Amino acid sequence: MDHKCQEKGWAILELAIQPDHIHLFIRVWPLDSVADVVKELKGITSFTLRKEFPVPLSKLPSLWTRSYFASTAGSVSNETIQRYIAAQKGV
């Protein structure tokens, strides 16, 4: 995922991985649509995981669902969002 972000000029500001979802705070270009960013990142992580764990994951028709939640930082500071996501790592 890091390589794809660097390739696109995006910056991962915070990341927390949960068993069934992830929290990702990412800075992207204003012209990049959220749907395209999510598609790219789900695609590269699915490809990488299926390559690393072919036997158990080959049985799944899809690694990711099509759903996602996205929001802009708006009036909340970057630090507040980063603290929230960092706190999710311990949950």
Side-chain angles (χ1 to χ4, degrees):
M1 185 164 39
D2 289 332
H3 180 71
K4 176 60 76 175
C5 288
Q6 288 175 357
E7 176 185 303
K8 297 286 189 174
W10 303 335
I12 297 174
L13 303 178
E14 193 66 51
L15 170 69
I17 301 171
Q18 302 294 319
D20 60 349
H21 66 281
I22 67 168
H23 293 266
L24 178 64
F25 185 35
I26 185 169
R27 182 183 307 126
V28 301
W29 298 105
L31 296 177
D32 291 326
S33 76
V34 172
D36 288 342
V37 172
V38 171
K39 179 182 166 190
E40 291 276 351
L41 297 181
K42 283 184 175 185
I44 194 66
T45 55
S46 178
F47 176 80
T48 303
L49 288 169
R50 286 179 186 274
K51 192 168 137 183
E52 189 170 340
F53 305 103
V55 175
L57 296 181
S58 65
K59 297 175 181 158
L60 298 174
S62 178
L63 191 61
W64 294 105
T65 66
R66 291 183 299 201
S67 64
Y68 62 90
F69 169 79
S71 180
T72 59
S75 62
V76 178
S77 72
N78 289 355
E79 292 79 19
T80 299
I81 295 169
Q82 287 175 295
R83 278 196 312 271
Y84 170 78
I85 294 174
Q88 301 308 303
K89 293 175 185 175
V91 173

Coordinates of all heavy atoms in Angstrom, one line a residue:
M1 N 0.8 -1.2 0.0 CA 0.0 0.0 0.0 C 0.9 1.2 0.0 O 0.5 2.2 -0.7 CB -0.9 0.0 1.2 CG -1.9 1.1 1.2 SD -3.4 1.0 2.3 CE -2.8 0.3 3.8
D2 N 2.0 1.2 0.7 CA 2.9 2.4 0.8 C 3.4 2.7 -0.6 O 3.5 3.9 -1.0 CB 4.1 2.1 1.7 CG 3.7 2.1 3.2 OD1 2.7 2.8 3.5 OD2 4.4 1.4 3.9
H3 N 3.8 1.7 -1.4 CA 4.3 1.9 -2.7 C 3.3 2.5 -3.6 O 3.6 3.5 -4.4 CB 4.8 0.6 -3.3 CG 5.4 0.7 -4.7 ND1 6.6 1.4 -4.9 CD2 4.9 0.4 -5.9 CE1 6.8 1.4 -6.2 NE2 5.8 0.8 -6.8
K4 N 2.1 2.0 -3.6 CA 1.0 2.6 -4.4 C 0.7 4.1 -4.0 O 0.6 4.9 -4.9 CB -0.3 1.8 -4.2 CG -1.5 2.3 -4.9 CD -1.3 2.4 -6.4 CE -1.4 1.1 -7.1 NZ -1.3 1.2 -8.6
C5 N 0.8 4.4 -2.7 CA 0.6 5.8 -2.3 C 1.7 6.7 -2.8 O 1.4 7.8 -3.2 CB 0.4 5.8 -0.8 SG -1.2 5.2 -0.2
Q6 N 2.9 6.2 -2.7 CA 4.0 7.0 -3.2 C 3.9 7.2 -4.7 O 4.2 8.3 -5.1 CB 5.4 6.3 -2.8 CG 5.7 6.3 -1.4 CD 7.0 5.5 -1.0 OE1 7.6 4.9 -1.9 NE2 7.4 5.6 0.2
E7 N 3.6 6.2 -5.4 CA 3.4 6.2 -6.8 C 2.4 7.3 -7.2 O 2.5 8.0 -8.2 CB 3.0 4.9 -7.3 CG 2.6 4.8 -8.8 CD 2.1 3.4 -9.1 OE1 2.8 2.4 -8.8 OE2 1.0 3.3 -9.6
K8 N 1.3 7.4 -6.4 CA 0.2 8.3 -6.7 C 0.4 9.7 -6.1 O -0.4 10.6 -6.4 CB -1.1 7.8 -6.2 CG -1.6 6.5 -6.9 CD -2.0 6.8 -8.3 CE -2.7 5.6 -8.9 NZ -3.3 5.9 -10.2
G9 N 1.4 9.9 -5.2 CA 1.6 11.1 -4.6 C 0.7 11.3 -3.4 O 0.5 12.5 -2.9
W10 N 0.2 10.2 -2.8 CA -0.6 10.3 -1.6 C 0.2 10.1 -0.4 O 1.3 9.5 -0.5 CB -1.7 9.2 -1.7 CG -2.6 9.3 -2.9 CD1 -2.9 10.3 -3.7 CD2 -3.3 8.2 -3.5 NE1 -3.7 10.0 -4.7 CE2 -4.0 8.6 -4.6 CE3 -3.4 6.8 -3.1 CZ2 -4.8 7.8 -5.4 CZ3 -4.2 6.0 -3.9 CH2 -4.9 6.5 -5.0
A11 N -0.2 10.5 0.8 CA 0.5 10.3 2.0 C -0.4 9.6 3.1 O -1.5 10.2 3.4 CB 1.0 11.6 2.6
I12 N 0.0 8.5 3.6 CA -0.7 7.9 4.7 C -0.3 8.6 6.0 O 0.9 8.6 6.4 CB -0.3 6.4 4.8 CG1 -0.8 5.7 3.5 CG2 -1.0 5.8 6.0 CD1 -0.4 4.2 3.4
L13 N -1.2 9.2 6.6 CA -1.0 10.0 7.9 C -1.1 9.1 9.1 O -0.4 9.3 10.1 CB -1.9 11.2 7.9 CG -1.8 12.2 6.7 CD1 -2.7 13.3 6.9 CD2 -0.3 12.7 6.6
E14 N -2.1 8.2 9.0 CA -2.3 7.2 10.2 C -3.0 6.0 9.6 O -3.8 6.1 8.7 CB -3.1 7.9 11.2 CG -3.2 7.2 12.6 CD -1.8 7.2 13.3 OE1 -1.2 8.2 13.4 OE2 -1.4 6.1 13.7
L15 N -2.7 4.9 10.3 CA -3.3 3.6 9.8 C -3.5 2.7 11.1 O -2.6 2.6 11.9 CB -2.4 2.9 8.8 CG -2.7 1.5 8.4 CD1 -4.0 1.4 7.6 CD2 -1.5 0.9 7.6
A16 N -4.7 2.1 11.2 CA -5.0 1.2 12.2 C -5.7 0.0 11.6 O -6.7 0.1 10.9 CB -5.8 1.8 13.3
I17 N -5.1 -1.2 11.8 CA -5.7 -2.4 11.2 C -6.4 -3.2 12.2 O -5.9 -3.5 13.3 CB -4.5 -3.3 10.6 CG1 -3.8 -2.5 9.5 CG2 -5.1 -4.6 10.0 CD1 -2.5 -3.1 9.0
Q18 N -7.7 -3.5 11.9 CA -8.6 -4.3 12.8 C -8.8 -5.6 12.1 O -8.5 -5.8 10.9 CB -9.9 -3.6 13.0 CG -9.8 -2.2 13.6 CD -9.2 -2.2 15.0 OE1 -9.6 -3.1 15.8 NE2 -8.3 -1.3 15.3
P19 N -9.3 -6.6 12.8 CA -9.6 -7.9 12.2 C -10.5 -7.9 11.0 O -10.4 -8.6 10.0 CB -10.2 -8.8 13.3 CG -9.7 -8.1 14.5 CD -9.6 -6.7 14.2
D20 N -11.5 -7.0 11.0 CA -12.5 -6.9 9.9 C -12.6 -5.6 9.2 O -13.5 -5.4 8.3 CB -13.9 -7.3 10.5 CG -14.4 -6.4 11.5 OD1 -13.6 -5.5 12.0 OD2 -15.5 -6.4 11.9
H21 N -11.7 -4.7 9.5 CA -11.7 -3.4 8.8 C -10.4 -2.6 9.1 O -9.6 -3.0 10.0 CB -12.9 -2.5 9.2 CG -12.9 -2.1 10.6 ND1 -13.3 -2.9 11.6 CD2 -12.6 -0.9 11.1 CE1 -13.2 -2.2 12.8 NE2 -12.8 -1.0 12.5
I22 N -10.2 -1.5 8.4 CA -9.0 -0.7 8.7 C -9.5 0.8 8.9 O -10.6 1.2 8.4 CB -7.9 -0.7 7.7 CG1 -8.4 -0.2 6.3 CG2 -7.4 -2.2 7.5 CD1 -7.3 0.1 5.3
H23 N -8.8 1.5 9.6 CA -8.9 3.0 9.7 C -7.7 3.6 9.0 O -6.6 3.2 9.3 CB -8.9 3.5 11.2 CG -10.1 3.0 12.0 ND1 -11.2 3.7 12.1 CD2 -10.3 1.9 12.6 CE1 -12.1 3.1 12.9 NE2 -11.5 1.9 13.2
L24 N -8.0 4.4 8.0 CA -6.9 5.0 7.2 C -7.1 6.5 7.1 O -8.2 6.9 6.7 CB -6.9 4.4 5.9 CG -5.8 4.8 4.9 CD1 -4.4 4.5 5.3 CD2 -6.1 4.1 3.5
F25 N -6.1 7.3 7.5 CA -6.2 8.7 7.3 C -5.1 9.0 6.3 O -3.9 8.8 6.5 CB -5.8 9.4 8.7 CG -6.0 10.9 8.7 CD1 -6.9 11.6 7.9 CD2 -5.1 11.7 9.4 CE1 -7.0 12.9 7.9 CE2 -5.2 13.1 9.5 CZ -6.2 13.7 8.7
I26 N -5.5 9.5 5.1 CA -4.7 9.7 4.0 C -4.9 11.0 3.3 O -6.0 11.5 3.3 CB -4.9 8.5 3.0 CG1 -4.0 8.5 1.8 CG2 -6.4 8.5 2.5 CD1 -4.0 7.3 1.0
R27 N -3.8 11.6 2.9 CA -3.8 12.9 2.2 C -3.7 12.6 0.7 O -2.7 11.9 0.3 CB -2.7 13.8 2.6 CG -2.8 15.2 1.9 CD -1.6 16.1 2.2 NE -1.4 16.3 3.6 CZ -0.3 16.1 4.3 NH1 0.8 15.7 3.7 NH2 -0.2 16.3 5.6
V28 N -4.7 13.0 -0.1 CA -4.7 12.7 -1.5 C -4.8 14.0 -2.3 O -5.2 15.0 -1.7 CB -5.8 11.7 -1.9 CG1 -5.6 10.4 -1.2 CG2 -7.2 12.3 -1.7
W29 N -4.6 14.0 -3.5 CA -4.8 15.2 -4.4 C -6.3 15.5 -4.5 O -7.1 14.6 -4.6 CB -4.2 15.0 -5.7 CG -2.7 14.7 -5.7 CD1 -2.0 13.5 -5.8 CD2 -1.7 15.7 -5.4 NE1 -0.7 13.7 -5.7 CE2 -0.4 15.0 -5.4 CE3 -1.7 17.1 -5.1 CZ2 0.8 15.7 -5.2 CZ3 -0.5 17.7 -4.9 CH2 0.7 17.0 -4.9
P30 N -6.6 16.8 -4.6 CA -8.0 17.2 -4.7 C -8.7 16.6 -5.9 O -9.9 16.4 -5.9 CB -8.0 18.7 -4.8 CG -6.7 19.1 -4.2 CD -5.7 18.0 -4.4
L31 N -8.0 16.3 -7.0 CA -8.6 15.8 -8.2 C -8.9 14.3 -8.1 O -9.6 13.7 -8.9 CB -7.8 16.1 -9.4 CG -7.6 17.6 -9.7 CD1 -6.7 17.8 -10.9 CD2 -9.0 18.2 -10.0
D32 N -8.3 13.6 -7.1 CA -8.5 12.2 -7.0 C -9.8 11.9 -6.2 O -10.0 12.4 -5.1 CB -7.3 11.5 -6.2 CG -6.0 11.5 -6.9 OD1 -6.1 11.4 -8.1 OD2 -5.0 11.7 -6.3
S33 N -10.7 11.1 -6.9 CA -11.9 10.8 -6.2 C -11.7 9.8 -5.1 O -10.9 8.9 -5.2 CB -13.0 10.3 -7.2 OG -12.7 9.0 -7.6
V34 N -12.6 9.9 -4.1 CA -12.5 8.9 -3.0 C -12.7 7.5 -3.5 O -12.0 6.6 -3.1 CB -13.5 9.3 -1.9 CG1 -13.6 8.2 -0.8 CG2 -13.2 10.6 -1.3
A35 N -13.6 7.3 -4.4 CA -13.9 6.0 -4.9 C -12.7 5.4 -5.6 O -12.4 4.2 -5.5 CB -15.1 6.1 -5.9
D36 N -12.0 6.2 -6.4 CA -10.7 5.8 -7.1 C -9.6 5.4 -6.1 O -8.9 4.4 -6.2 CB -10.2 6.8 -8.1 CG -11.1 6.9 -9.3 OD1 -11.9 6.0 -9.5 OD2 -11.0 7.9 -10.0
V37 N -9.5 6.2 -5.0 CA -8.5 6.0 -4.0 C -8.8 4.6 -3.3 O -7.9 3.8 -3.2 CB -8.4 7.1 -3.0 CG1 -7.5 6.8 -1.8 CG2 -7.9 8.4 -3.6
V38 N -10.0 4.5 -2.9 CA -10.4 3.2 -2.2 C -10.2 2.0 -3.2 O -9.7 1.0 -2.8 CB -11.9 3.3 -1.7 CG1 -12.4 1.9 -1.2 CG2 -12.0 4.3 -0.6
K39 N -10.6 2.2 -4.4 CA -10.4 1.1 -5.4 C -9.0 0.7 -5.5 O -8.6 -0.5 -5.5 CB -11.0 1.5 -6.7 CG -10.9 0.5 -7.8 CD -11.4 1.1 -9.1 CE -11.0 0.2 -10.3 NZ -11.3 0.8 -11.6
E40 N -8.1 1.7 -5.7 CA -6.7 1.4 -5.8 C -6.1 0.7 -4.6 O -5.4 -0.3 -4.7 CB -5.9 2.7 -6.0 CG -6.2 3.4 -7.4 CD -5.3 2.8 -8.5 OE1 -4.4 2.1 -8.2 OE2 -5.6 3.2 -9.6
L41 N -6.4 1.2 -3.4 CA -5.9 0.6 -2.2 C -6.4 -0.8 -1.9 O -5.7 -1.7 -1.4 CB -6.0 1.6 -1.0 CG -5.3 2.9 -1.2 CD1 -5.5 3.8 0.0 CD2 -3.8 2.7 -1.4
K42 N -7.7 -1.0 -2.1 CA -8.3 -2.3 -1.9 C -7.7 -3.3 -2.9 O -7.4 -4.4 -2.6 CB -9.8 -2.3 -2.0 CG -10.5 -1.7 -0.8 CD -12.0 -1.8 -1.0 CE -12.7 -1.3 0.3 NZ -14.2 -1.5 0.1
G43 N -7.5 -2.8 -4.2 CA -7.0 -3.7 -5.2 C -5.5 -4.1 -4.9 O -5.2 -5.3 -5.0
I44 N -4.7 -3.2 -4.5 CA -3.3 -3.5 -4.2 C -3.1 -4.4 -3.0 O -2.3 -5.3 -2.9 CB -2.4 -2.3 -4.2 CG1 -0.9 -2.7 -4.2 CG2 -2.6 -1.5 -2.9 CD1 -0.5 -3.3 -5.5
T45 N -3.9 -4.1 -1.9 CA -3.9 -5.0 -0.7 C -4.4 -6.4 -1.0 O -3.8 -7.3 -0.5 CB -4.6 -4.3 0.5 OG1 -5.9 -4.0 0.1 CG2 -3.9 -3.1 0.9
S46 N -5.5 -6.5 -1.8 CA -6.0 -7.8 -2.1 C -5.0 -8.6 -2.9 O -4.7 -9.8 -2.6 CB -7.3 -7.6 -2.9 OG -7.8 -8.9 -3.3
F47 N -4.4 -8.0 -3.9 CA -3.4 -8.6 -4.7 C -2.2 -9.1 -3.9 O -1.7 -10.3 -4.0 CB -2.9 -7.7 -5.8 CG -1.8 -8.2 -6.7 CD1 -2.0 -9.1 -7.7 CD2 -0.4 -7.9 -6.4 CE1 -1.0 -9.6 -8.5 CE2 0.6 -8.4 -7.2 CZ 0.3 -9.3 -8.2
T48 N -1.7 -8.2 -3.0 CA -0.6 -8.6 -2.2 C -0.9 -9.7 -1.2 O -0.1 -10.7 -1.0 CB -0.1 -7.3 -1.4 OG1 0.2 -6.3 -2.3 CG2 1.1 -7.6 -0.5
L49 N -2.0 -9.6 -0.5 CA -2.4 -10.7 0.4 C -2.7 -12.0 -0.3 O -2.3 -13.1 0.2 CB -3.6 -10.3 1.2 CG -3.4 -9.2 2.2 CD1 -4.7 -8.6 2.8 CD2 -2.5 -9.7 3.4
R50 N -3.3 -12.0 -1.4 CA -3.5 -13.3 -2.2 C -2.2 -13.9 -2.7 O -2.1 -15.1 -2.7 CB -4.5 -13.0 -3.3 CG -5.9 -12.8 -2.9 CD -6.9 -12.6 -4.1 NE -8.2 -12.3 -3.7 CZ -9.1 -13.1 -3.4 NH1 -8.9 -14.4 -3.4 NH2 -10.3 -12.7 -3.0
K51 N -1.3 -13.1 -3.0 CA 0.0 -13.6 -3.4 C 0.8 -14.2 -2.2 O 1.4 -15.2 -2.3 CB 0.8 -12.4 -4.0 CG 2.1 -12.8 -4.7 CD 2.6 -11.6 -5.5 CE 4.1 -11.5 -5.4 NZ 4.6 -10.3 -6.0
E52 N 0.7 -13.5 -1.1 CA 1.4 -14.0 0.1 C 0.7 -15.2 0.8 O 1.4 -16.1 1.3 CB 1.5 -12.9 1.2 CG 2.4 -13.2 2.3 CD 2.7 -12.0 3.2 OE1 2.6 -10.9 2.8 OE2 3.1 -12.3 4.4
F53 N -0.6 -15.3 0.7 CA -1.4 -16.4 1.4 C -2.3 -17.0 0.3 O -3.6 -16.9 0.4 CB -2.2 -15.8 2.5 CG -1.4 -15.1 3.6 CD1 -1.4 -13.7 3.6 CD2 -0.6 -15.8 4.5 CE1 -0.6 -13.0 4.6 CE2 0.2 -15.1 5.4 CZ 0.2 -13.8 5.5
P54 N -1.8 -17.7 -0.7 CA -2.6 -18.1 -1.8 C -3.6 -19.2 -1.4 O -4.8 -19.2 -1.9 CB -1.6 -18.7 -2.8 CG -0.4 -19.0 -2.0 CD -0.4 -18.0 -0.9
V55 N -3.3 -20.1 -0.5 CA -4.2 -21.3 -0.2 C -5.4 -20.8 0.5 O -6.5 -21.0 0.1 CB -3.4 -22.4 0.6 CG1 -4.4 -23.5 1.0 CG2 -2.3 -22.9 -0.3
P56 N -5.3 -20.1 1.7 CA -6.6 -19.8 2.4 C -7.4 -18.7 1.7 O -8.6 -18.8 1.7 CB -6.1 -19.3 3.7 CG -4.7 -18.9 3.6 CD -4.1 -19.7 2.5
L57 N -6.7 -17.8 1.0 CA -7.5 -16.7 0.4 C -8.0 -17.0 -1.0 O -8.9 -16.4 -1.5 CB -6.6 -15.4 0.3 CG -6.2 -14.9 1.7 CD1 -5.4 -13.6 1.5 CD2 -7.4 -14.6 2.5
S58 N -7.5 -18.1 -1.6 CA -8.0 -18.4 -3.0 C -9.4 -18.9 -2.9 O -10.1 -18.9 -3.9 CB -7.1 -19.5 -3.6 OG -7.2 -20.7 -2.9
K59 N -9.9 -19.3 -1.8 CA -11.3 -19.8 -1.6 C -12.3 -18.7 -1.5 O -13.5 -18.9 -1.7 CB -11.4 -20.7 -0.4 CG -10.5 -22.0 -0.5 CD -10.5 -22.8 0.8 CE -9.6 -24.0 0.6 NZ -9.1 -24.5 1.8
L60 N -11.8 -17.5 -1.2 CA -12.7 -16.4 -1.1 C -13.0 -15.7 -2.5 O -12.1 -15.5 -3.2 CB -12.1 -15.3 -0.2 CG -11.9 -15.7 1.2 CD1 -11.1 -14.6 2.0 CD2 -13.2 -16.0 1.9
P61 N -14.3 -15.5 -2.8 CA -14.6 -14.8 -4.1 C -14.1 -13.4 -4.1 O -13.7 -12.9 -5.1 CB -16.1 -14.9 -4.2 CG -16.6 -15.0 -2.8 CD -15.5 -15.8 -2.0
S62 N -14.1 -12.7 -3.0 CA -13.6 -11.3 -2.9 C -13.0 -11.1 -1.5 O -13.5 -11.6 -0.5 CB -14.8 -10.4 -3.1 OG -14.4 -9.1 -2.9
L63 N -11.9 -10.4 -1.4 CA -11.3 -10.1 -0.2 C -11.9 -9.0 0.6 O -12.1 -9.0 1.8 CB -9.8 -9.9 -0.4 CG -8.9 -9.8 0.9 CD1 -9.0 -11.1 1.6 CD2 -7.5 -9.5 0.5
W64 N -12.3 -7.9 -0.2 CA -12.9 -6.7 0.4 C -14.4 -6.6 -0.1 O -14.7 -7.1 -1.2 CB -12.2 -5.5 -0.1 CG -10.8 -5.3 0.4 CD1 -9.6 -5.5 -0.4 CD2 -10.4 -4.9 1.7 NE1 -8.5 -5.2 0.4 CE2 -9.0 -4.9 1.7 CE3 -11.0 -4.6 2.8 CZ2 -8.2 -4.5 2.8 CZ3 -10.3 -4.2 3.9 CH2 -8.9 -4.2 3.9
T65 N -15.2 -6.0 0.7 CA -16.5 -5.7 0.3 C -16.4 -4.4 -0.5 O -15.4 -3.7 -0.5 CB -17.5 -5.5 1.4 OG1 -17.1 -4.3 2.2 CG2 -17.5 -6.7 2.3
R66 N -17.5 -4.0 -1.2 CA -17.5 -2.8 -1.9 C -17.8 -1.6 -1.0 O -17.6 -0.4 -1.5 CB -18.6 -2.8 -3.0 CG -18.2 -3.8 -4.1 CD -19.3 -3.8 -5.2 NE -20.6 -4.2 -4.6 CZ -21.6 -4.6 -5.3 NH1 -21.5 -4.7 -6.6 NH2 -22.7 -4.9 -4.7
S67 N -18.1 -1.8 0.2 CA -18.5 -0.7 1.1 C -17.2 0.0 1.7 O -16.2 -0.6 1.8 CB -19.4 -1.1 2.2 OG -18.7 -2.1 3.0
Y68 N -17.4 1.3 2.0 CA -16.4 2.0 2.7 C -17.0 3.3 3.3 O -18.1 3.7 2.9 CB -15.2 2.4 1.8 CG -15.5 3.3 0.6 CD1 -15.5 4.6 0.7 CD2 -15.9 2.7 -0.6 CE1 -15.8 5.4 -0.3 CE2 -16.2 3.5 -1.7 CZ -16.2 4.9 -1.5 OH -16.5 5.7 -2.6
F69 N -16.4 3.9 4.3 CA -16.8 5.2 4.8 C -15.7 6.2 4.6 O -14.5 5.8 4.8 CB -17.1 5.1 6.3 CG -17.3 6.5 6.9 CD1 -18.5 7.1 6.8 CD2 -16.3 7.1 7.6 CE1 -18.7 8.4 7.3 CE2 -16.4 8.3 8.2 CZ -17.6 9.0 8.0
A70 N -16.0 7.3 4.1 CA -15.0 8.4 3.8 C -15.5 9.7 4.3 O -16.7 10.0 4.2 CB -14.7 8.4 2.3
S71 N -14.6 10.5 4.8 CA -15.0 11.8 5.3 C -13.8 12.8 5.1 O -12.7 12.3 5.2 CB -15.5 11.8 6.7 OG -15.8 13.1 7.2
T72 N -14.1 14.0 5.0 CA -13.0 15.0 5.0 C -12.7 15.4 6.4 O -13.5 15.2 7.3 CB -13.3 16.2 4.1 OG1 -14.5 16.8 4.7 CG2 -13.6 15.9 2.7
A73 N -11.5 16.0 6.6 CA -11.1 16.4 8.0 C -12.0 17.5 8.4 O -12.4 17.6 9.6 CB -9.7 16.8 8.0
G74 N -12.4 18.4 7.5 CA -13.3 19.5 7.9 C -12.8 20.4 9.0 O -11.6 20.8 9.0
S75 N -13.6 20.6 10.0 CA -13.2 21.4 11.1 C -12.5 20.7 12.2 O -12.1 21.3 13.2 CB -14.5 22.1 11.7 OG -15.3 21.1 12.2
V76 N -12.3 19.4 12.1 CA -11.5 18.6 13.0 C -10.0 18.7 12.7 O -9.7 18.5 11.5 CB -12.0 17.2 13.1 CG1 -11.2 16.3 14.0 CG2 -13.5 17.1 13.4
S77 N -9.2 18.9 13.6 CA -7.7 19.0 13.3 C -7.2 17.6 12.9 O -7.7 16.5 13.3 CB -7.0 19.5 14.5 OG -6.9 18.5 15.5
N78 N -6.1 17.6 12.1 CA -5.4 16.4 11.7 C -4.9 15.6 13.0 O -5.0 14.4 13.0 CB -4.2 16.8 10.9 CG -4.5 17.2 9.5 OD1 -5.7 17.3 9.1 ND2 -3.6 17.6 8.7
E79 N -4.5 16.3 14.0 CA -4.0 15.7 15.2 C -5.1 14.9 15.9 O -4.9 13.8 16.4 CB -3.4 16.7 16.2 CG -2.1 17.3 15.7 CD -2.3 18.5 14.6 OE1 -3.5 19.0 14.5 OE2 -1.4 18.8 13.9
T80 N -6.3 15.5 15.9 CA -7.5 14.8 16.5 C -7.8 13.5 15.8 O -8.0 12.4 16.4 CB -8.7 15.7 16.6 OG1 -8.4 16.8 17.3 CG2 -9.9 15.0 17.2
I81 N -7.8 13.5 14.5 CA -8.0 12.3 13.7 C -6.9 11.3 13.9 O -7.2 10.1 14.1 CB -8.2 12.7 12.2 CG1 -9.4 13.6 12.0 CG2 -8.3 11.5 11.3 CD1 -9.5 14.2 10.6
Q82 N -5.7 11.8 13.9 CA -4.6 10.8 14.1 C -4.6 10.2 15.4 O -4.4 9.0 15.6 CB -3.3 11.5 13.8 CG -3.0 11.8 12.3 CD -1.8 12.7 12.1 OE1 -1.7 13.8 12.5 NE2 -0.8 12.1 11.4
R83 N -5.0 10.9 16.5 CA -5.1 10.4 17.8 C -6.2 9.3 17.9 O -6.1 8.3 18.5 CB -5.4 11.5 18.8 CG -4.1 12.2 19.3 CD -4.3 13.0 20.6 NE -5.5 13.8 20.6 CZ -5.6 15.1 20.2 NH1 -4.5 15.6 19.7 NH2 -6.7 15.7 20.2
Y84 N -7.3 9.6 17.2 CA -8.5 8.7 17.2 C -8.0 7.4 16.5 O -8.3 6.3 17.0 CB -9.7 9.3 16.4 CG -10.7 8.2 16.2 CD1 -11.6 7.9 17.2 CD2 -10.8 7.6 14.9 CE1 -12.6 6.9 17.0 CE2 -11.8 6.7 14.7 CZ -12.7 6.3 15.7 OH -13.6 5.3 15.5
I85 N -7.4 7.5 15.4 CA -7.0 6.3 14.6 C -5.9 5.5 15.4 O -6.0 4.3 15.5 CB -6.5 6.6 13.2 CG1 -7.7 7.1 12.4 CG2 -5.9 5.4 12.5 CD1 -7.4 7.6 11.0
A86 N -5.0 6.2 16.0 CA -3.9 5.6 16.8 C -4.6 4.8 18.0 O -4.1 3.7 18.3 CB -2.9 6.6 17.3
A87 N -5.6 5.4 18.6 CA -6.3 4.7 19.7 C -7.0 3.4 19.2 O -7.2 2.5 20.0 CB -7.3 5.7 20.3
Q88 N -7.3 3.3 18.0 CA -8.0 2.1 17.5 C -7.0 0.9 17.4 O -7.5 -0.2 17.3 CB -8.6 2.4 16.1 CG -9.6 3.5 16.0 CD -10.7 3.3 17.1 OE1 -11.4 2.3 17.1 NE2 -10.9 4.3 17.9
K89 N -5.8 1.2 17.4 CA -4.8 0.1 17.3 C -4.8 -0.8 18.5 O -4.6 -1.9 18.5 CB -3.4 0.7 17.1 CG -3.2 1.4 15.8 CD -1.8 2.0 15.7 CE -1.7 2.8 14.4 NZ -0.4 3.6 14.3
G90 N -5.2 -0.2 19.7 CA -5.2 -0.9 20.9 C -6.6 -1.6 21.2 O -6.7 -2.3 22.1
V91 N -7.6 -1.3 20.3 CA -8.9 -1.8 20.6 C -9.0 -3.3 20.1 O -8.4 -3.8 19.3 CB -10.0 -1.0 19.8 CG1 -11.3 -1.7 19.9 CG2 -10.0 0.4 20.3

